[in-house]
Amino acid sequence: MRLVLAALLSVSFSLYGAERYITVASTTSTEQSGLFKYLLPIFEQQTGIQVQYTGTRDLNSILTTRVQAGNPPEVAALPNPGAMAQFAQSGKLVDLSSIVDQNTMKQQYAPDWLTLGTAGG
């Protein structure tokens, strides 16, 4: 199973350099919900990885432009499975099944949520 989850769009992960950070993009509605204000400090504290976050109203256009320019974010919180499927069909997603423990995912999430976060198999 190719679990995509948050749709990693790039393998240019900045953890291998001197700076440890990832870039994350999502819709402004996710930002306004307060979810990232709560989660990102916890993630940063537990991993030592800083997050460079961008919130936008037009995530699909921003992602399309950044992917075409070769500068995608490492993580994108896509607003719907259709957008994820389009990036998957064009070969722009990174398969997370070798990074994320699949058994843990199956234990912690209902099958319907896993299906929504899966593209290409």
PDB file of all heavy atoms in Angstrom, residues 79-113:
ATOM      1  N   PRO A  79      -6.072  20.161   0.707  1.00  0.00           N
ATOM      2  CA  PRO A  79      -7.438  20.337   1.179  1.00  0.00           C
ATOM      3  C   PRO A  79      -8.406  19.226   0.795  1.00  0.00           C
ATOM      4  O   PRO A  79      -9.492  19.142   1.359  1.00  0.00           O
ATOM      5  CB  PRO A  79      -7.865  21.661   0.551  1.00  0.00           C
ATOM      6  CG  PRO A  79      -7.025  21.778  -0.676  1.00  0.00           C
ATOM      7  CD  PRO A  79      -5.718  21.103  -0.343  1.00  0.00           C
ATOM      8  N   ASN A  80      -8.014  18.388  -0.154  1.00  0.00           N
ATOM      9  CA  ASN A  80      -8.922  17.316  -0.566  1.00  0.00           C
ATOM     10  C   ASN A  80      -8.147  16.210  -1.272  1.00  0.00           C
ATOM     11  O   ASN A  80      -7.059  16.439  -1.792  1.00  0.00           O
ATOM     12  CB  ASN A  80     -10.032  17.870  -1.474  1.00  0.00           C
ATOM     13  CG  ASN A  80      -9.490  18.477  -2.743  1.00  0.00           C
ATOM     14  OD1 ASN A  80      -8.871  17.800  -3.539  1.00  0.00           O
ATOM     15  ND2 ASN A  80      -9.707  19.770  -2.944  1.00  0.00           N
ATOM     16  N   PRO A  81      -8.725  15.005  -1.299  1.00  0.00           N
ATOM     17  CA  PRO A  81      -8.019  13.888  -1.939  1.00  0.00           C
ATOM     18  C   PRO A  81      -7.857  14.052  -3.444  1.00  0.00           C
ATOM     19  O   PRO A  81      -6.938  13.494  -4.034  1.00  0.00           O
ATOM     20  CB  PRO A  81      -8.877  12.668  -1.619  1.00  0.00           C
ATOM     21  CG  PRO A  81     -10.009  13.122  -0.798  1.00  0.00           C
ATOM     22  CD  PRO A  81      -9.940  14.596  -0.639  1.00  0.00           C
ATOM     23  N   GLY A  82      -8.730  14.830  -4.077  1.00  0.00           N
ATOM     24  CA  GLY A  82      -8.619  15.037  -5.523  1.00  0.00           C
ATOM     25  C   GLY A  82      -7.335  15.743  -5.901  1.00  0.00           C
ATOM     26  O   GLY A  82      -6.679  15.385  -6.879  1.00  0.00           O
ATOM     27  N   ALA A  83      -6.965  16.755  -5.120  1.00  0.00           N
ATOM     28  CA  ALA A  83      -5.715  17.472  -5.383  1.00  0.00           C
ATOM     29  C   ALA A  83      -4.529  16.540  -5.208  1.00  0.00           C
ATOM     30  O   ALA A  83      -3.586  16.547  -6.003  1.00  0.00           O
ATOM     31  CB  ALA A  83      -5.602  18.678  -4.442  1.00  0.00           C
ATOM     32  N   MET A  84      -4.584  15.700  -4.166  1.00  0.00           N
ATOM     33  CA  MET A  84      -3.506  14.747  -3.935  1.00  0.00           C
ATOM     34  C   MET A  84      -3.403  13.764  -5.105  1.00  0.00           C
ATOM     35  O   MET A  84      -2.306  13.463  -5.575  1.00  0.00           O
ATOM     36  CB  MET A  84      -3.739  13.976  -2.638  1.00  0.00           C
ATOM     37  CG  MET A  84      -2.606  13.014  -2.317  1.00  0.00           C
ATOM     38  SD  MET A  84      -2.849  12.104  -0.785  1.00  0.00           S
ATOM     39  CE  MET A  84      -4.272  11.100  -1.185  1.00  0.00           C
ATOM     40  N   ALA A  85      -4.537  13.291  -5.593  1.00  0.00           N
ATOM     41  CA  ALA A  85      -4.541  12.340  -6.707  1.00  0.00           C
ATOM     42  C   ALA A  85      -3.910  12.954  -7.957  1.00  0.00           C
ATOM     43  O   ALA A  85      -3.178  12.272  -8.683  1.00  0.00           O
ATOM     44  CB  ALA A  85      -5.960  11.871  -6.994  1.00  0.00           C
ATOM     45  N   GLN A  86      -4.171  14.249  -8.203  1.00  0.00           N
ATOM     46  CA  GLN A  86      -3.575  14.906  -9.372  1.00  0.00           C
ATOM     47  C   GLN A  86      -2.048  14.952  -9.272  1.00  0.00           C
ATOM     48  O   GLN A  86      -1.348  14.679 -10.243  1.00  0.00           O
ATOM     49  CB  GLN A  86      -4.136  16.313  -9.537  1.00  0.00           C
ATOM     50  CG  GLN A  86      -5.571  16.329  -9.994  1.00  0.00           C
ATOM     51  CD  GLN A  86      -6.128  17.738 -10.066  1.00  0.00           C
ATOM     52  OE1 GLN A  86      -5.622  18.659  -9.433  1.00  0.00           O
ATOM     53  NE2 GLN A  86      -7.194  17.892 -10.836  1.00  0.00           N
ATOM     54  N   PHE A  87      -1.535  15.280  -8.093  1.00  0.00           N
ATOM     55  CA  PHE A  87      -0.078  15.296  -7.917  1.00  0.00           C
ATOM     56  C   PHE A  87       0.488  13.879  -8.014  1.00  0.00           C
ATOM     57  O   PHE A  87       1.573  13.669  -8.551  1.00  0.00           O
ATOM     58  CB  PHE A  87       0.311  15.938  -6.591  1.00  0.00           C
ATOM     59  CG  PHE A  87       0.206  17.441  -6.599  1.00  0.00           C
ATOM     60  CD1 PHE A  87      -0.768  18.081  -5.871  1.00  0.00           C
ATOM     61  CD2 PHE A  87       1.084  18.210  -7.345  1.00  0.00           C
ATOM     62  CE1 PHE A  87      -0.874  19.469  -5.880  1.00  0.00           C
ATOM     63  CE2 PHE A  87       0.994  19.591  -7.368  1.00  0.00           C
ATOM     64  CZ  PHE A  87       0.007  20.224  -6.631  1.00  0.00           C
ATOM     65  N   ALA A  88      -0.246  12.905  -7.521  1.00  0.00           N
ATOM     66  CA  ALA A  88       0.210  11.509  -7.603  1.00  0.00           C
ATOM     67  C   ALA A  88       0.279  11.053  -9.058  1.00  0.00           C
ATOM     68  O   ALA A  88       1.247  10.400  -9.461  1.00  0.00           O
ATOM     69  CB  ALA A  88      -0.719  10.597  -6.808  1.00  0.00           C
ATOM     70  N   GLN A  89      -0.740  11.379  -9.851  1.00  0.00           N
ATOM     71  CA  GLN A  89      -0.763  10.975 -11.262  1.00  0.00           C
ATOM     72  C   GLN A  89       0.390  11.571 -12.052  1.00  0.00           C
ATOM     73  O   GLN A  89       0.873  10.983 -13.007  1.00  0.00           O
ATOM     74  CB  GLN A  89      -2.098  11.351 -11.897  1.00  0.00           C
ATOM     75  CG  GLN A  89      -3.242  10.501 -11.414  1.00  0.00           C
ATOM     76  CD  GLN A  89      -4.595  11.004 -11.906  1.00  0.00           C
ATOM     77  OE1 GLN A  89      -4.703  12.072 -12.504  1.00  0.00           O
ATOM     78  NE2 GLN A  89      -5.631  10.233 -11.629  1.00  0.00           N
ATOM     79  N   SER A  90       0.841  12.753 -11.628  1.00  0.00           N
ATOM     80  CA  SER A  90       1.958  13.378 -12.339  1.00  0.00           C
ATOM     81  C   SER A  90       3.313  12.998 -11.730  1.00  0.00           C
ATOM     82  O   SER A  90       4.347  13.533 -12.121  1.00  0.00           O
ATOM     83  CB  SER A  90       1.784  14.902 -12.365  1.00  0.00           C
ATOM     84  OG  SER A  90       1.810  15.428 -11.059  1.00  0.00           O
ATOM     85  N   GLY A  91       3.292  12.058 -10.768  1.00  0.00           N
ATOM     86  CA  GLY A  91       4.535  11.554 -10.190  1.00  0.00           C
ATOM     87  C   GLY A  91       5.236  12.530  -9.262  1.00  0.00           C
ATOM     88  O   GLY A  91       6.451  12.452  -9.079  1.00  0.00           O
ATOM     89  N   LYS A  92       4.497  13.433  -8.636  1.00  0.00           N
ATOM     90  CA  LYS A  92       5.094  14.466  -7.806  1.00  0.00           C
ATOM     91  C   LYS A  92       4.999  14.203  -6.301  1.00  0.00           C
ATOM     92  O   LYS A  92       5.386  15.042  -5.506  1.00  0.00           O
ATOM     93  CB  LYS A  92       4.449  15.827  -8.112  1.00  0.00           C
ATOM     94  CG  LYS A  92       4.609  16.257  -9.548  1.00  0.00           C
ATOM     95  CD  LYS A  92       6.071  16.402  -9.922  1.00  0.00           C
ATOM     96  CE  LYS A  92       6.220  16.891 -11.352  1.00  0.00           C
ATOM     97  NZ  LYS A  92       7.599  16.929 -11.794  1.00  0.00           N
ATOM     98  N   LEU A  93       4.502  13.037  -5.897  1.00  0.00           N
ATOM     99  CA  LEU A  93       4.420  12.707  -4.474  1.00  0.00           C
ATOM    100  C   LEU A  93       5.496  11.705  -4.090  1.00  0.00           C
ATOM    101  O   LEU A  93       5.940  10.908  -4.907  1.00  0.00           O
ATOM    102  CB  LEU A  93       3.046  12.105  -4.139  1.00  0.00           C
ATOM    103  CG  LEU A  93       1.837  12.984  -4.362  1.00  0.00           C
ATOM    104  CD1 LEU A  93       0.579  12.245  -3.925  1.00  0.00           C
ATOM    105  CD2 LEU A  93       1.966  14.289  -3.624  1.00  0.00           C
ATOM    106  N   VAL A  94       5.884  11.744  -2.846  1.00  0.00           N
ATOM    107  CA  VAL A  94       6.842  10.791  -2.311  1.00  0.00           C
ATOM    108  C   VAL A  94       6.072   9.731  -1.536  1.00  0.00           C
ATOM    109  O   VAL A  94       5.235  10.051  -0.688  1.00  0.00           O
ATOM    110  CB  VAL A  94       7.860  11.495  -1.381  1.00  0.00           C
ATOM    111  CG1 VAL A  94       8.770  10.495  -0.702  1.00  0.00           C
ATOM    112  CG2 VAL A  94       8.665  12.522  -2.162  1.00  0.00           C
ATOM    113  N   ASP A  95       6.336   8.474  -1.822  1.00  0.00           N
ATOM    114  CA  ASP A  95       5.696   7.354  -1.129  1.00  0.00           C
ATOM    115  C   ASP A  95       6.193   7.307   0.311  1.00  0.00           C
ATOM    116  O   ASP A  95       7.387   7.200   0.561  1.00  0.00           O
ATOM    117  CB  ASP A  95       6.044   6.065  -1.867  1.00  0.00           C
ATOM    118  CG  ASP A  95       5.396   4.836  -1.265  1.00  0.00           C
ATOM    119  OD1 ASP A  95       4.634   4.961  -0.277  1.00  0.00           O
ATOM    120  OD2 ASP A  95       5.647   3.738  -1.783  1.00  0.00           O
ATOM    121  N   LEU A  96       5.266   7.397   1.256  1.00  0.00           N
ATOM    122  CA  LEU A  96       5.645   7.418   2.673  1.00  0.00           C
ATOM    123  C   LEU A  96       5.619   6.048   3.334  1.00  0.00           C
ATOM    124  O   LEU A  96       5.912   5.932   4.515  1.00  0.00           O
ATOM    125  CB  LEU A  96       4.704   8.351   3.443  1.00  0.00           C
ATOM    126  CG  LEU A  96       4.730   9.814   3.050  1.00  0.00           C
ATOM    127  CD1 LEU A  96       3.748  10.611   3.890  1.00  0.00           C
ATOM    128  CD2 LEU A  96       6.122  10.372   3.183  1.00  0.00           C
ATOM    129  N   SER A  97       5.296   5.016   2.584  1.00  0.00           N
ATOM    130  CA  SER A  97       5.143   3.696   3.209  1.00  0.00           C
ATOM    131  C   SER A  97       6.451   3.162   3.797  1.00  0.00           C
ATOM    132  O   SER A  97       6.419   2.341   4.704  1.00  0.00           O
ATOM    133  CB  SER A  97       4.555   2.692   2.218  1.00  0.00           C
ATOM    134  OG  SER A  97       5.422   2.502   1.126  1.00  0.00           O
ATOM    135  N   SER A  98       7.581   3.643   3.319  1.00  0.00           N
ATOM    136  CA  SER A  98       8.851   3.198   3.901  1.00  0.00           C
ATOM    137  C   SER A  98       9.312   4.123   5.031  1.00  0.00           C
ATOM    138  O   SER A  98      10.282   3.819   5.720  1.00  0.00           O
ATOM    139  CB  SER A  98       9.937   3.130   2.821  1.00  0.00           C
ATOM    140  OG  SER A  98      10.202   4.423   2.326  1.00  0.00           O
ATOM    141  N   ILE A  99       8.596   5.222   5.248  1.00  0.00           N
ATOM    142  CA  ILE A  99       8.960   6.190   6.276  1.00  0.00           C
ATOM    143  C   ILE A  99       8.024   6.092   7.480  1.00  0.00           C
ATOM    144  O   ILE A  99       8.451   6.168   8.619  1.00  0.00           O
ATOM    145  CB  ILE A  99       8.926   7.626   5.700  1.00  0.00           C
ATOM    146  CG1 ILE A  99       9.910   7.741   4.542  1.00  0.00           C
ATOM    147  CG2 ILE A  99       9.215   8.661   6.774  1.00  0.00           C
ATOM    148  CD1 ILE A  99       9.768   9.002   3.732  1.00  0.00           C
ATOM    149  N   VAL A 100       6.735   5.908   7.196  1.00  0.00           N
ATOM    150  CA  VAL A 100       5.709   5.866   8.241  1.00  0.00           C
ATOM    151  C   VAL A 100       5.371   4.416   8.548  1.00  0.00           C
ATOM    152  O   VAL A 100       5.130   3.625   7.635  1.00  0.00           O
ATOM    153  CB  VAL A 100       4.452   6.627   7.773  1.00  0.00           C
ATOM    154  CG1 VAL A 100       3.343   6.539   8.799  1.00  0.00           C
ATOM    155  CG2 VAL A 100       4.791   8.078   7.469  1.00  0.00           C
ATOM    156  N   ASP A 101       5.359   4.056   9.817  1.00  0.00           N
ATOM    157  CA  ASP A 101       5.046   2.692  10.238  1.00  0.00           C
ATOM    158  C   ASP A 101       3.594   2.360   9.874  1.00  0.00           C
ATOM    159  O   ASP A 101       2.650   2.906  10.457  1.00  0.00           O
ATOM    160  CB  ASP A 101       5.267   2.545  11.735  1.00  0.00           C
ATOM    161  CG  ASP A 101       5.057   1.125  12.231  1.00  0.00           C
ATOM    162  OD1 ASP A 101       4.153   0.427  11.726  1.00  0.00           O
ATOM    163  OD2 ASP A 101       5.796   0.707  13.136  1.00  0.00           O
ATOM    164  N   GLN A 102       3.429   1.480   8.910  1.00  0.00           N
ATOM    165  CA  GLN A 102       2.105   1.151   8.401  1.00  0.00           C
ATOM    166  C   GLN A 102       1.221   0.461   9.444  1.00  0.00           C
ATOM    167  O   GLN A 102       0.013   0.695   9.500  1.00  0.00           O
ATOM    168  CB  GLN A 102       2.218   0.273   7.149  1.00  0.00           C
ATOM    169  CG  GLN A 102       2.980   0.936   6.018  1.00  0.00           C
ATOM    170  CD  GLN A 102       2.344   2.241   5.579  1.00  0.00           C
ATOM    171  OE1 GLN A 102       1.264   2.238   5.022  1.00  0.00           O
ATOM    172  NE2 GLN A 102       3.003   3.353   5.852  1.00  0.00           N
ATOM    173  N   ASN A 103       1.800  -0.377  10.273  1.00  0.00           N
ATOM    174  CA  ASN A 103       1.013  -1.056  11.308  1.00  0.00           C
ATOM    175  C   ASN A 103       0.465  -0.055  12.317  1.00  0.00           C
ATOM    176  O   ASN A 103      -0.693  -0.159  12.739  1.00  0.00           O
ATOM    177  CB  ASN A 103       1.842  -2.135  12.010  1.00  0.00           C
ATOM    178  CG  ASN A 103       2.127  -3.297  11.089  1.00  0.00           C
ATOM    179  OD1 ASN A 103       1.315  -3.657  10.246  1.00  0.00           O
ATOM    180  ND2 ASN A 103       3.305  -3.877  11.227  1.00  0.00           N
ATOM    181  N   THR A 104       1.274   0.908  12.701  1.00  0.00           N
ATOM    182  CA  THR A 104       0.806   1.944  13.620  1.00  0.00           C
ATOM    183  C   THR A 104      -0.321   2.746  12.986  1.00  0.00           C
ATOM    184  O   THR A 104      -1.321   3.050  13.647  1.00  0.00           O
ATOM    185  CB  THR A 104       1.969   2.883  14.020  1.00  0.00           C
ATOM    186  OG1 THR A 104       2.983   2.105  14.650  1.00  0.00           O
ATOM    187  CG2 THR A 104       1.500   3.978  14.947  1.00  0.00           C
ATOM    188  N   MET A 105      -0.166   3.095  11.729  1.00  0.00           N
ATOM    189  CA  MET A 105      -1.218   3.842  11.035  1.00  0.00           C
ATOM    190  C   MET A 105      -2.529   3.055  11.031  1.00  0.00           C
ATOM    191  O   MET A 105      -3.593   3.609  11.292  1.00  0.00           O
ATOM    192  CB  MET A 105      -0.795   4.160   9.593  1.00  0.00           C
ATOM    193  CG  MET A 105       0.359   5.138   9.498  1.00  0.00           C
ATOM    194  SD  MET A 105       0.027   6.746  10.235  1.00  0.00           S
ATOM    195  CE  MET A 105      -1.320   7.311   9.235  1.00  0.00           C
ATOM    196  N   LYS A 106      -2.447   1.766  10.762  1.00  0.00           N
ATOM    197  CA  LYS A 106      -3.651   0.931  10.726  1.00  0.00           C
ATOM    198  C   LYS A 106      -4.298   0.817  12.104  1.00  0.00           C
ATOM    199  O   LYS A 106      -5.512   0.698  12.212  1.00  0.00           O
ATOM    200  CB  LYS A 106      -3.310  -0.448  10.176  1.00  0.00           C
ATOM    201  CG  LYS A 106      -2.987  -0.424   8.696  1.00  0.00           C
ATOM    202  CD  LYS A 106      -2.540  -1.795   8.206  1.00  0.00           C
ATOM    203  CE  LYS A 106      -2.106  -1.715   6.767  1.00  0.00           C
ATOM    204  NZ  LYS A 106      -1.562  -2.987   6.279  1.00  0.00           N
ATOM    205  N   GLN A 107      -3.488   0.853  13.154  1.00  0.00           N
ATOM    206  CA  GLN A 107      -4.015   0.781  14.515  1.00  0.00           C
ATOM    207  C   GLN A 107      -4.660   2.092  14.945  1.00  0.00           C
ATOM    208  O   GLN A 107      -5.618   2.090  15.707  1.00  0.00           O
ATOM    209  CB  GLN A 107      -2.906   0.421  15.503  1.00  0.00           C
ATOM    210  CG  GLN A 107      -2.391  -0.991  15.356  1.00  0.00           C
ATOM    211  CD  GLN A 107      -1.146  -1.231  16.216  1.00  0.00           C
ATOM    212  OE1 GLN A 107      -0.639  -0.330  16.866  1.00  0.00           O
ATOM    213  NE2 GLN A 107      -0.656  -2.457  16.176  1.00  0.00           N
ATOM    214  N   GLN A 108      -4.146   3.202  14.464  1.00  0.00           N
ATOM    215  CA  GLN A 108      -4.583   4.497  14.962  1.00  0.00           C
ATOM    216  C   GLN A 108      -5.623   5.200  14.084  1.00  0.00           C
ATOM    217  O   GLN A 108      -6.211   6.189  14.522  1.00  0.00           O
ATOM    218  CB  GLN A 108      -3.377   5.411  15.154  1.00  0.00           C
ATOM    219  CG  GLN A 108      -2.446   4.914  16.237  1.00  0.00           C
ATOM    220  CD  GLN A 108      -1.274   5.841  16.469  1.00  0.00           C
ATOM    221  OE1 GLN A 108      -1.083   6.848  15.784  1.00  0.00           O
ATOM    222  NE2 GLN A 108      -0.455   5.515  17.454  1.00  0.00           N
ATOM    223  N   TYR A 109      -5.821   4.715  12.862  1.00  0.00           N
ATOM    224  CA  TYR A 109      -6.758   5.384  11.958  1.00  0.00           C
ATOM    225  C   TYR A 109      -7.734   4.389  11.356  1.00  0.00           C
ATOM    226  O   TYR A 109      -7.362   3.262  11.027  1.00  0.00           O
ATOM    227  CB  TYR A 109      -5.995   6.093  10.821  1.00  0.00           C
ATOM    228  CG  TYR A 109      -5.206   7.274  11.319  1.00  0.00           C
ATOM    229  CD1 TYR A 109      -3.878   7.123  11.697  1.00  0.00           C
ATOM    230  CD2 TYR A 109      -5.779   8.527  11.411  1.00  0.00           C
ATOM    231  CE1 TYR A 109      -3.143   8.198  12.164  1.00  0.00           C
ATOM    232  CE2 TYR A 109      -5.058   9.612  11.878  1.00  0.00           C
ATOM    233  CZ  TYR A 109      -3.740   9.443  12.259  1.00  0.00           C
ATOM    234  OH  TYR A 109      -3.019  10.493  12.724  1.00  0.00           O
ATOM    235  N   ALA A 110      -8.962   4.845  11.171  1.00  0.00           N
ATOM    236  CA  ALA A 110      -9.981   4.024  10.528  1.00  0.00           C
ATOM    237  C   ALA A 110      -9.602   3.813   9.065  1.00  0.00           C
ATOM    238  O   ALA A 110      -8.953   4.674   8.452  1.00  0.00           O
ATOM    239  CB  ALA A 110     -11.340   4.707  10.621  1.00  0.00           C
ATOM    240  N   PRO A 111     -10.006   2.673   8.486  1.00  0.00           N
ATOM    241  CA  PRO A 111      -9.660   2.387   7.090  1.00  0.00           C
ATOM    242  C   PRO A 111     -10.076   3.497   6.117  1.00  0.00           C
ATOM    243  O   PRO A 111      -9.353   3.772   5.156  1.00  0.00           O
ATOM    244  CB  PRO A 111     -10.409   1.085   6.796  1.00  0.00           C
ATOM    245  CG  PRO A 111     -10.539   0.427   8.135  1.00  0.00           C
ATOM    246  CD  PRO A 111     -10.707   1.557   9.116  1.00  0.00           C
ATOM    247  N   ASP A 112     -11.204   4.140   6.355  1.00  0.00           N
ATOM    248  CA  ASP A 112     -11.636   5.209   5.445  1.00  0.00           C
ATOM    249  C   ASP A 112     -10.655   6.377   5.423  1.00  0.00           C
ATOM    250  O   ASP A 112     -10.405   6.967   4.371  1.00  0.00           O
ATOM    251  CB  ASP A 112     -13.028   5.708   5.829  1.00  0.00           C
ATOM    252  CG  ASP A 112     -14.110   4.686   5.525  1.00  0.00           C
ATOM    253  OD1 ASP A 112     -13.861   3.763   4.727  1.00  0.00           O
ATOM    254  OD2 ASP A 112     -15.208   4.816   6.098  1.00  0.00           O
ATOM    255  N   TRP A 113     -10.080   6.744   6.571  1.00  0.00           N
ATOM    256  CA  TRP A 113      -9.088   7.818   6.618  1.00  0.00           C
ATOM    257  C   TRP A 113      -7.824   7.414   5.874  1.00  0.00           C
ATOM    258  O   TRP A 113      -7.211   8.228   5.169  1.00  0.00           O
ATOM    259  CB  TRP A 113      -8.747   8.204   8.053  1.00  0.00           C
ATOM    260  CG  TRP A 113      -9.817   9.020   8.702  1.00  0.00           C
ATOM    261  CD1 TRP A 113     -10.636   8.631   9.718  1.00  0.00           C
ATOM    262  CD2 TRP A 113     -10.210  10.345   8.358  1.00  0.00           C
ATOM    263  NE1 TRP A 113     -11.508   9.634  10.025  1.00  0.00           N
ATOM    264  CE2 TRP A 113     -11.265  10.709   9.208  1.00  0.00           C
ATOM    265  CE3 TRP A 113      -9.765  11.266   7.416  1.00  0.00           C
ATOM    266  CZ2 TRP A 113     -11.879  11.954   9.138  1.00  0.00           C
ATOM    267  CZ3 TRP A 113     -10.384  12.505   7.350  1.00  0.00           C
ATOM    268  CH2 TRP A 113     -11.428  12.836   8.210  1.00  0.00           C
TER     269      TRP A 113
END
